[in-house]
Amino acid sequence: MPWSEFCTLLSGLLPDTPLGKIVSIRAEKDSKILKTFTKEQKKIRSDWQRKKMQKLKENPAAYRAYMDEFQAFCKSAFSRK
């Protein structure tokens, strides 16, 4: 199966399928929804984030850019105004 066909099929997954649920857990960014996650959902999400970070560490330039962006976010989010 060509990659483009696979991507087309994958994009058509509904969130009520097992794979669709995992994809939605991994992609969630809303802090209110994240607080309601079950222990299993939190594990799925943290495992995914850990895997993404490992890939970033394999590419030092990408990791440095990510860390710079993260630090800038933290400074703006937690600075006293």
Side-chain angles (χ1 to χ4, degrees), residues 6-37:
F6 175 76
C7 289
T8 301
L9 293 171
L10 194 61
S11 68
L13 281 176
L14 298 174
D16 59 345
T17 63
L19 184 56
K21 287 179 184 177
I22 290 174
V23 169
S24 66
I25 289 168
R26 290 176 174 178
E28 188 58 60
K29 293 186 183 340
D30 187 340
S31 62
K32 291 178 184 175
I33 294 174
L34 292 173
K35 288 179 183 178
T36 65
F37 273 8

Side-chain angles (χ1 to χ4, degrees), residues 3 6 12 16 25 33 44 47 52 54-55 60 62 70 73:
W3 179 251
F6 175 76
D16 59 345
I25 289 168
I33 294 174
I44 290 169
D47 288 349
K52 283 184 4 182
Q54 187 60 38
K55 283 193 173 206
F70 179 70
F73 165 77

Side-chain angles (χ1 to χ4, degrees), residues 72-81:
F73 165 77
C74 289
K75 286 178 184 176
S76 67
F78 297 107
S79 66
R80 294 180 187 230
K81 296 180 182 188

Side-chain angles (χ1 to χ4, degrees), residues 57-68:
K57 287 181 180 180
E58 292 170 3
N59 180 344
Y63 181 72
R64 185 75 245 152
Y66 174 82
M67 290 306 293
D68 290 344

